[in-house]
């Protein structure tokens, strides 16, 4: 996989851990209340807070990555790098780290297709 070359970096593992934190925040604070009609703005505010925390994690990950390049630091523990459970946790954490951005993109894509379908059907 194309992410295998990044698995031995501290920044990759930090972003993976941050992805799990974002996933837990979404599961605790966002997903239980998403279908409640009277909580429109508070849900939006919670999502914006989680998204801003996610962007902060991206910035910290970038600075860790730059520090790794400058100082030539990498994870060299082969037992850690070859563990399949660690690999699953890392990859799922990376997916979770991009989950808020994926949600925003899907929101715009679904809204775009809804408008196209409504225009075809002639519904206002």
């Amino acid at each position: 996989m194309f992410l295998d070359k990044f698995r031995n970096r501290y920044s990759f593992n930090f972003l993976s851990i941050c992805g799990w934190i974002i996933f837990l925040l979404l599961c605790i604070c966002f997903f239980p209340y998403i279908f409640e009609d009277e909580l429109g703005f508070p849900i939006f505010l919670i999502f914006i807070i989680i998204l801003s925390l996610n962007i902060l994690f991206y910035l910290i990950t970038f600075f860790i990555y730059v520090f790794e390049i400058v100082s030539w630091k990498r994870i060299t523990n082969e037992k850690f790098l070859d563990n399949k459970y660690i690999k699953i946790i890392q990859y799922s954490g990376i997916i979770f780290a991009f989950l808020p951005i994926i949600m925003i993109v899907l929101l715009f894509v679904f809204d775009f297709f809804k408008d196209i379908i409504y225009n075809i059907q002639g519904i206002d």
Side-chain angles (χ1 to χ4, degrees), residues 29-57:
C29 301
F30 184 73
F31 290 140
Y33 307 110
I34 196 167
F35 294 114
E36 305 241 351
D37 290 337
E38 62 270 358
L39 292 178
F41 184 73
I43 290 295
F44 175 73
L45 191 62
I46 289 171
F47 185 73
I48 292 299
I49 291 171
I50 292 173
L51 184 66
S52 62
L53 181 67
N54 199 17
I55 291 170
L56 178 69
F57 285 154

PDB file of all heavy atoms in Angstrom, residues 29-57:
ATOM      1  N   CYS A  29     -20.203  13.134  20.737  1.00  0.00           N
ATOM      2  CA  CYS A  29     -20.810  14.471  20.697  1.00  0.00           C
ATOM      3  C   CYS A  29     -21.646  14.756  19.465  1.00  0.00           C
ATOM      4  O   CYS A  29     -22.498  15.642  19.503  1.00  0.00           O
ATOM      5  CB  CYS A  29     -19.716  15.534  20.788  1.00  0.00           C
ATOM      6  SG  CYS A  29     -18.723  15.439  22.250  1.00  0.00           S
ATOM      7  N   PHE A  30     -21.432  14.080  18.363  1.00  0.00           N
ATOM      8  CA  PHE A  30     -22.074  14.474  17.115  1.00  0.00           C
ATOM      9  C   PHE A  30     -23.111  13.468  16.630  1.00  0.00           C
ATOM     10  O   PHE A  30     -24.274  13.815  16.403  1.00  0.00           O
ATOM     11  CB  PHE A  30     -21.001  14.698  16.042  1.00  0.00           C
ATOM     12  CG  PHE A  30     -21.527  15.204  14.739  1.00  0.00           C
ATOM     13  CD1 PHE A  30     -21.960  16.506  14.615  1.00  0.00           C
ATOM     14  CD2 PHE A  30     -21.599  14.370  13.633  1.00  0.00           C
ATOM     15  CE1 PHE A  30     -22.457  16.977  13.415  1.00  0.00           C
ATOM     16  CE2 PHE A  30     -22.080  14.831  12.434  1.00  0.00           C
ATOM     17  CZ  PHE A  30     -22.513  16.139  12.330  1.00  0.00           C
ATOM     18  N   PHE A  31     -22.716  12.216  16.438  1.00  0.00           N
ATOM     19  CA  PHE A  31     -23.601  11.232  15.827  1.00  0.00           C
ATOM     20  C   PHE A  31     -24.879  10.945  16.616  1.00  0.00           C
ATOM     21  O   PHE A  31     -25.922  10.728  16.005  1.00  0.00           O
ATOM     22  CB  PHE A  31     -22.855   9.933  15.532  1.00  0.00           C
ATOM     23  CG  PHE A  31     -21.858  10.060  14.421  1.00  0.00           C
ATOM     24  CD1 PHE A  31     -20.627   9.436  14.507  1.00  0.00           C
ATOM     25  CD2 PHE A  31     -22.133  10.796  13.288  1.00  0.00           C
ATOM     26  CE1 PHE A  31     -19.708   9.542  13.491  1.00  0.00           C
ATOM     27  CE2 PHE A  31     -21.222  10.916  12.259  1.00  0.00           C
ATOM     28  CZ  PHE A  31     -20.008  10.279  12.362  1.00  0.00           C
ATOM     29  N   PRO A  32     -24.881  10.923  17.956  1.00  0.00           N
ATOM     30  CA  PRO A  32     -26.150  10.651  18.657  1.00  0.00           C
ATOM     31  C   PRO A  32     -27.210  11.725  18.442  1.00  0.00           C
ATOM     32  O   PRO A  32     -28.403  11.452  18.576  1.00  0.00           O
ATOM     33  CB  PRO A  32     -25.754  10.588  20.125  1.00  0.00           C
ATOM     34  CG  PRO A  32     -24.310  10.307  20.142  1.00  0.00           C
ATOM     35  CD  PRO A  32     -23.760  10.924  18.898  1.00  0.00           C
ATOM     36  N   TYR A  33     -26.816  12.939  18.123  1.00  0.00           N
ATOM     37  CA  TYR A  33     -27.760  14.051  18.018  1.00  0.00           C
ATOM     38  C   TYR A  33     -27.994  14.523  16.588  1.00  0.00           C
ATOM     39  O   TYR A  33     -28.647  15.531  16.379  1.00  0.00           O
ATOM     40  CB  TYR A  33     -27.256  15.233  18.846  1.00  0.00           C
ATOM     41  CG  TYR A  33     -26.954  14.847  20.267  1.00  0.00           C
ATOM     42  CD1 TYR A  33     -25.641  14.797  20.724  1.00  0.00           C
ATOM     43  CD2 TYR A  33     -27.965  14.533  21.146  1.00  0.00           C
ATOM     44  CE1 TYR A  33     -25.363  14.438  22.034  1.00  0.00           C
ATOM     45  CE2 TYR A  33     -27.700  14.164  22.450  1.00  0.00           C
ATOM     46  CZ  TYR A  33     -26.397  14.119  22.879  1.00  0.00           C
ATOM     47  OH  TYR A  33     -26.125  13.755  24.162  1.00  0.00           O
ATOM     48  N   ILE A  34     -27.462  13.815  15.604  1.00  0.00           N
ATOM     49  CA  ILE A  34     -27.497  14.322  14.230  1.00  0.00           C
ATOM     50  C   ILE A  34     -28.912  14.358  13.651  1.00  0.00           C
ATOM     51  O   ILE A  34     -29.222  15.209  12.823  1.00  0.00           O
ATOM     52  CB  ILE A  34     -26.539  13.509  13.346  1.00  0.00           C
ATOM     53  CG1 ILE A  34     -26.263  14.249  12.051  1.00  0.00           C
ATOM     54  CG2 ILE A  34     -27.069  12.137  13.066  1.00  0.00           C
ATOM     55  CD1 ILE A  34     -25.120  13.680  11.264  1.00  0.00           C
ATOM     56  N   PHE A  35     -29.796  13.479  14.078  1.00  0.00           N
ATOM     57  CA  PHE A  35     -31.141  13.429  13.505  1.00  0.00           C
ATOM     58  C   PHE A  35     -32.183  14.158  14.350  1.00  0.00           C
ATOM     59  O   PHE A  35     -33.372  14.030  14.091  1.00  0.00           O
ATOM     60  CB  PHE A  35     -31.564  11.982  13.280  1.00  0.00           C
ATOM     61  CG  PHE A  35     -30.728  11.294  12.238  1.00  0.00           C
ATOM     62  CD1 PHE A  35     -29.896  10.246  12.578  1.00  0.00           C
ATOM     63  CD2 PHE A  35     -30.758  11.714  10.918  1.00  0.00           C
ATOM     64  CE1 PHE A  35     -29.123   9.619  11.629  1.00  0.00           C
ATOM     65  CE2 PHE A  35     -29.985  11.093   9.955  1.00  0.00           C
ATOM     66  CZ  PHE A  35     -29.163  10.041  10.309  1.00  0.00           C
ATOM     67  N   GLU A  36     -31.755  14.911  15.340  1.00  0.00           N
ATOM     68  CA  GLU A  36     -32.689  15.693  16.149  1.00  0.00           C
ATOM     69  C   GLU A  36     -32.964  17.010  15.427  1.00  0.00           C
ATOM     70  O   GLU A  36     -32.054  17.772  15.126  1.00  0.00           O
ATOM     71  CB  GLU A  36     -32.091  15.947  17.527  1.00  0.00           C
ATOM     72  CG  GLU A  36     -31.679  14.677  18.226  1.00  0.00           C
ATOM     73  CD  GLU A  36     -32.417  14.473  19.513  1.00  0.00           C
ATOM     74  OE1 GLU A  36     -33.119  15.389  19.949  1.00  0.00           O
ATOM     75  OE2 GLU A  36     -32.277  13.387  20.070  1.00  0.00           O
ATOM     76  N   ASP A  37     -34.237  17.292  15.183  1.00  0.00           N
ATOM     77  CA  ASP A  37     -34.610  18.467  14.392  1.00  0.00           C
ATOM     78  C   ASP A  37     -34.340  19.780  15.109  1.00  0.00           C
ATOM     79  O   ASP A  37     -33.936  20.761  14.504  1.00  0.00           O
ATOM     80  CB  ASP A  37     -36.092  18.397  14.021  1.00  0.00           C
ATOM     81  CG  ASP A  37     -36.357  17.304  13.008  1.00  0.00           C
ATOM     82  OD1 ASP A  37     -35.414  16.924  12.290  1.00  0.00           O
ATOM     83  OD2 ASP A  37     -37.509  16.838  12.952  1.00  0.00           O
ATOM     84  N   GLU A  38     -34.547  19.831  16.404  1.00  0.00           N
ATOM     85  CA  GLU A  38     -34.421  21.097  17.122  1.00  0.00           C
ATOM     86  C   GLU A  38     -32.984  21.446  17.500  1.00  0.00           C
ATOM     87  O   GLU A  38     -32.743  22.482  18.093  1.00  0.00           O
ATOM     88  CB  GLU A  38     -35.303  21.079  18.377  1.00  0.00           C
ATOM     89  CG  GLU A  38     -34.937  20.025  19.390  1.00  0.00           C
ATOM     90  CD  GLU A  38     -35.652  18.702  19.168  1.00  0.00           C
ATOM     91  OE1 GLU A  38     -36.466  18.592  18.248  1.00  0.00           O
ATOM     92  OE2 GLU A  38     -35.359  17.773  19.910  1.00  0.00           O
ATOM     93  N   LEU A  39     -32.035  20.617  17.145  1.00  0.00           N
ATOM     94  CA  LEU A  39     -30.632  20.877  17.490  1.00  0.00           C
ATOM     95  C   LEU A  39     -29.803  21.235  16.260  1.00  0.00           C
ATOM     96  O   LEU A  39     -28.661  20.823  16.137  1.00  0.00           O
ATOM     97  CB  LEU A  39     -30.026  19.652  18.179  1.00  0.00           C
ATOM     98  CG  LEU A  39     -30.566  19.307  19.559  1.00  0.00           C
ATOM     99  CD1 LEU A  39     -29.892  18.051  20.074  1.00  0.00           C
ATOM    100  CD2 LEU A  39     -30.346  20.447  20.522  1.00  0.00           C
ATOM    101  N   GLY A  40     -30.317  22.030  15.357  1.00  0.00           N
ATOM    102  CA  GLY A  40     -29.612  22.360  14.124  1.00  0.00           C
ATOM    103  C   GLY A  40     -28.327  23.142  14.354  1.00  0.00           C
ATOM    104  O   GLY A  40     -27.248  22.712  13.955  1.00  0.00           O
ATOM    105  N   PHE A  41     -28.424  24.298  14.994  1.00  0.00           N
ATOM    106  CA  PHE A  41     -27.233  25.126  15.196  1.00  0.00           C
ATOM    107  C   PHE A  41     -26.255  24.518  16.202  1.00  0.00           C
ATOM    108  O   PHE A  41     -25.037  24.565  15.959  1.00  0.00           O
ATOM    109  CB  PHE A  41     -27.626  26.544  15.620  1.00  0.00           C
ATOM    110  CG  PHE A  41     -26.446  27.449  15.740  1.00  0.00           C
ATOM    111  CD1 PHE A  41     -25.789  27.902  14.609  1.00  0.00           C
ATOM    112  CD2 PHE A  41     -25.970  27.822  16.984  1.00  0.00           C
ATOM    113  CE1 PHE A  41     -24.677  28.726  14.709  1.00  0.00           C
ATOM    114  CE2 PHE A  41     -24.871  28.644  17.096  1.00  0.00           C
ATOM    115  CZ  PHE A  41     -24.226  29.102  15.949  1.00  0.00           C
ATOM    116  N   PRO A  42     -26.720  23.935  17.331  1.00  0.00           N
ATOM    117  CA  PRO A  42     -25.736  23.310  18.230  1.00  0.00           C
ATOM    118  C   PRO A  42     -24.966  22.163  17.584  1.00  0.00           C
ATOM    119  O   PRO A  42     -23.764  22.018  17.824  1.00  0.00           O
ATOM    120  CB  PRO A  42     -26.586  22.806  19.406  1.00  0.00           C
ATOM    121  CG  PRO A  42     -27.763  23.705  19.422  1.00  0.00           C
ATOM    122  CD  PRO A  42     -28.029  24.026  17.980  1.00  0.00           C
ATOM    123  N   ILE A  43     -25.620  21.377  16.752  1.00  0.00           N
ATOM    124  CA  ILE A  43     -24.911  20.301  16.047  1.00  0.00           C
ATOM    125  C   ILE A  43     -23.887  20.884  15.086  1.00  0.00           C
ATOM    126  O   ILE A  43     -22.764  20.389  14.968  1.00  0.00           O
ATOM    127  CB  ILE A  43     -25.916  19.396  15.304  1.00  0.00           C
ATOM    128  CG1 ILE A  43     -26.725  18.585  16.294  1.00  0.00           C
ATOM    129  CG2 ILE A  43     -25.236  18.475  14.325  1.00  0.00           C
ATOM    130  CD1 ILE A  43     -25.917  17.594  17.081  1.00  0.00           C
ATOM    131  N   PHE A  44     -24.268  21.951  14.395  1.00  0.00           N
ATOM    132  CA  PHE A  44     -23.340  22.630  13.493  1.00  0.00           C
ATOM    133  C   PHE A  44     -22.145  23.171  14.273  1.00  0.00           C
ATOM    134  O   PHE A  44     -21.001  23.034  13.840  1.00  0.00           O
ATOM    135  CB  PHE A  44     -24.069  23.764  12.756  1.00  0.00           C
ATOM    136  CG  PHE A  44     -23.174  24.600  11.902  1.00  0.00           C
ATOM    137  CD1 PHE A  44     -22.670  24.107  10.718  1.00  0.00           C
ATOM    138  CD2 PHE A  44     -22.834  25.884  12.291  1.00  0.00           C
ATOM    139  CE1 PHE A  44     -21.840  24.877   9.924  1.00  0.00           C
ATOM    140  CE2 PHE A  44     -22.003  26.660  11.509  1.00  0.00           C
ATOM    141  CZ  PHE A  44     -21.505  26.154  10.316  1.00  0.00           C
ATOM    142  N   LEU A  45     -22.388  23.748  15.428  1.00  0.00           N
ATOM    143  CA  LEU A  45     -21.312  24.294  16.257  1.00  0.00           C
ATOM    144  C   LEU A  45     -20.393  23.184  16.764  1.00  0.00           C
ATOM    145  O   LEU A  45     -19.160  23.339  16.760  1.00  0.00           O
ATOM    146  CB  LEU A  45     -21.912  25.076  17.427  1.00  0.00           C
ATOM    147  CG  LEU A  45     -20.969  25.914  18.251  1.00  0.00           C
ATOM    148  CD1 LEU A  45     -20.335  26.992  17.394  1.00  0.00           C
ATOM    149  CD2 LEU A  45     -21.706  26.526  19.422  1.00  0.00           C
ATOM    150  N   ILE A  46     -20.970  22.070  17.180  1.00  0.00           N
ATOM    151  CA  ILE A  46     -20.155  20.925  17.629  1.00  0.00           C
ATOM    152  C   ILE A  46     -19.289  20.423  16.482  1.00  0.00           C
ATOM    153  O   ILE A  46     -18.097  20.129  16.668  1.00  0.00           O
ATOM    154  CB  ILE A  46     -21.057  19.807  18.188  1.00  0.00           C
ATOM    155  CG1 ILE A  46     -21.658  20.233  19.526  1.00  0.00           C
ATOM    156  CG2 ILE A  46     -20.286  18.507  18.342  1.00  0.00           C
ATOM    157  CD1 ILE A  46     -22.729  19.299  20.043  1.00  0.00           C
ATOM    158  N   PHE A  47     -19.869  20.338  15.290  1.00  0.00           N
ATOM    159  CA  PHE A  47     -19.098  19.873  14.138  1.00  0.00           C
ATOM    160  C   PHE A  47     -17.977  20.844  13.794  1.00  0.00           C
ATOM    161  O   PHE A  47     -16.867  20.418  13.456  1.00  0.00           O
ATOM    162  CB  PHE A  47     -20.014  19.660  12.933  1.00  0.00           C
ATOM    163  CG  PHE A  47     -19.303  19.068  11.759  1.00  0.00           C
ATOM    164  CD1 PHE A  47     -18.931  17.735  11.762  1.00  0.00           C
ATOM    165  CD2 PHE A  47     -18.981  19.837  10.664  1.00  0.00           C
ATOM    166  CE1 PHE A  47     -18.261  17.184  10.690  1.00  0.00           C
ATOM    167  CE2 PHE A  47     -18.319  19.306   9.584  1.00  0.00           C
ATOM    168  CZ  PHE A  47     -17.958  17.970   9.595  1.00  0.00           C
ATOM    169  N   ILE A  48     -18.233  22.134  13.881  1.00  0.00           N
ATOM    170  CA  ILE A  48     -17.194  23.131  13.602  1.00  0.00           C
ATOM    171  C   ILE A  48     -16.069  23.034  14.629  1.00  0.00           C
ATOM    172  O   ILE A  48     -14.880  23.149  14.276  1.00  0.00           O
ATOM    173  CB  ILE A  48     -17.801  24.550  13.566  1.00  0.00           C
ATOM    174  CG1 ILE A  48     -18.723  24.699  12.368  1.00  0.00           C
ATOM    175  CG2 ILE A  48     -16.742  25.633  13.560  1.00  0.00           C
ATOM    176  CD1 ILE A  48     -18.038  24.508  11.028  1.00  0.00           C
ATOM    177  N   ILE A  49     -16.407  22.808  15.885  1.00  0.00           N
ATOM    178  CA  ILE A  49     -15.373  22.658  16.923  1.00  0.00           C
ATOM    179  C   ILE A  49     -14.534  21.415  16.650  1.00  0.00           C
ATOM    180  O   ILE A  49     -13.293  21.456  16.729  1.00  0.00           O
ATOM    181  CB  ILE A  49     -16.018  22.624  18.320  1.00  0.00           C
ATOM    182  CG1 ILE A  49     -16.582  23.996  18.664  1.00  0.00           C
ATOM    183  CG2 ILE A  49     -15.008  22.166  19.375  1.00  0.00           C
ATOM    184  CD1 ILE A  49     -17.436  24.023  19.915  1.00  0.00           C
ATOM    185  N   ILE A  50     -15.185  20.302  16.305  1.00  0.00           N
ATOM    186  CA  ILE A  50     -14.445  19.073  15.996  1.00  0.00           C
ATOM    187  C   ILE A  50     -13.589  19.268  14.749  1.00  0.00           C
ATOM    188  O   ILE A  50     -12.433  18.829  14.696  1.00  0.00           O
ATOM    189  CB  ILE A  50     -15.416  17.889  15.846  1.00  0.00           C
ATOM    190  CG1 ILE A  50     -16.045  17.547  17.193  1.00  0.00           C
ATOM    191  CG2 ILE A  50     -14.711  16.665  15.275  1.00  0.00           C
ATOM    192  CD1 ILE A  50     -17.139  16.506  17.132  1.00  0.00           C
ATOM    193  N   LEU A  51     -14.112  19.952  13.743  1.00  0.00           N
ATOM    194  CA  LEU A  51     -13.348  20.213  12.523  1.00  0.00           C
ATOM    195  C   LEU A  51     -12.146  21.118  12.796  1.00  0.00           C
ATOM    196  O   LEU A  51     -11.053  20.883  12.271  1.00  0.00           O
ATOM    197  CB  LEU A  51     -14.253  20.837  11.459  1.00  0.00           C
ATOM    198  CG  LEU A  51     -13.631  21.086  10.098  1.00  0.00           C
ATOM    199  CD1 LEU A  51     -13.271  19.767   9.440  1.00  0.00           C
ATOM    200  CD2 LEU A  51     -14.581  21.864   9.226  1.00  0.00           C
ATOM    201  N   SER A  52     -12.319  22.135  13.635  1.00  0.00           N
ATOM    202  CA  SER A  52     -11.182  23.009  13.956  1.00  0.00           C
ATOM    203  C   SER A  52     -10.129  22.261  14.768  1.00  0.00           C
ATOM    204  O   SER A  52      -8.929  22.474  14.574  1.00  0.00           O
ATOM    205  CB  SER A  52     -11.657  24.262  14.680  1.00  0.00           C
ATOM    206  OG  SER A  52     -12.275  23.923  15.898  1.00  0.00           O
ATOM    207  N   LEU A  53     -10.551  21.361  15.650  1.00  0.00           N
ATOM    208  CA  LEU A  53      -9.589  20.525  16.376  1.00  0.00           C
ATOM    209  C   LEU A  53      -8.849  19.609  15.407  1.00  0.00           C
ATOM    210  O   LEU A  53      -7.632  19.403  15.536  1.00  0.00           O
ATOM    211  CB  LEU A  53     -10.316  19.705  17.444  1.00  0.00           C
ATOM    212  CG  LEU A  53      -9.453  18.804  18.309  1.00  0.00           C
ATOM    213  CD1 LEU A  53      -8.530  19.642  19.188  1.00  0.00           C
ATOM    214  CD2 LEU A  53     -10.333  17.914  19.156  1.00  0.00           C
ATOM    215  N   ASN A  54      -9.563  19.099  14.420  1.00  0.00           N
ATOM    216  CA  ASN A  54      -8.950  18.255  13.404  1.00  0.00           C
ATOM    217  C   ASN A  54      -7.913  19.035  12.594  1.00  0.00           C
ATOM    218  O   ASN A  54      -6.827  18.530  12.301  1.00  0.00           O
ATOM    219  CB  ASN A  54     -10.037  17.693  12.496  1.00  0.00           C
ATOM    220  CG  ASN A  54      -9.589  16.500  11.720  1.00  0.00           C
ATOM    221  OD1 ASN A  54      -8.586  15.878  12.041  1.00  0.00           O
ATOM    222  ND2 ASN A  54     -10.320  16.169  10.691  1.00  0.00           N
ATOM    223  N   ILE A  55      -8.222  20.258  12.233  1.00  0.00           N
ATOM    224  CA  ILE A  55      -7.265  21.095  11.504  1.00  0.00           C
ATOM    225  C   ILE A  55      -6.042  21.401  12.365  1.00  0.00           C
ATOM    226  O   ILE A  55      -4.906  21.404  11.878  1.00  0.00           O
ATOM    227  CB  ILE A  55      -7.958  22.375  11.001  1.00  0.00           C
ATOM    228  CG1 ILE A  55      -8.954  22.013   9.914  1.00  0.00           C
ATOM    229  CG2 ILE A  55      -6.949  23.395  10.475  1.00  0.00           C
ATOM    230  CD1 ILE A  55      -9.860  23.130   9.497  1.00  0.00           C
ATOM    231  N   LEU A  56      -6.254  21.620  13.656  1.00  0.00           N
ATOM    232  CA  LEU A  56      -5.131  21.813  14.581  1.00  0.00           C
ATOM    233  C   LEU A  56      -4.250  20.562  14.619  1.00  0.00           C
ATOM    234  O   LEU A  56      -3.015  20.668  14.618  1.00  0.00           O
ATOM    235  CB  LEU A  56      -5.649  22.154  15.978  1.00  0.00           C
ATOM    236  CG  LEU A  56      -4.593  22.342  17.051  1.00  0.00           C
ATOM    237  CD1 LEU A  56      -3.789  23.614  16.792  1.00  0.00           C
ATOM    238  CD2 LEU A  56      -5.236  22.367  18.416  1.00  0.00           C
ATOM    239  N   PHE A  57      -4.873  19.394  14.620  1.00  0.00           N
ATOM    240  CA  PHE A  57      -4.096  18.143  14.578  1.00  0.00           C
ATOM    241  C   PHE A  57      -3.298  18.043  13.283  1.00  0.00           C
ATOM    242  O   PHE A  57      -2.154  17.576  13.291  1.00  0.00           O
ATOM    243  CB  PHE A  57      -5.010  16.931  14.713  1.00  0.00           C
ATOM    244  CG  PHE A  57      -5.534  16.699  16.108  1.00  0.00           C
ATOM    245  CD1 PHE A  57      -6.731  16.027  16.295  1.00  0.00           C
ATOM    246  CD2 PHE A  57      -4.843  17.126  17.223  1.00  0.00           C
ATOM    247  CE1 PHE A  57      -7.224  15.793  17.564  1.00  0.00           C
ATOM    248  CE2 PHE A  57      -5.323  16.911  18.498  1.00  0.00           C
ATOM    249  CZ  PHE A  57      -6.522  16.230  18.668  1.00  0.00           C
TER     250      PHE A  57
END
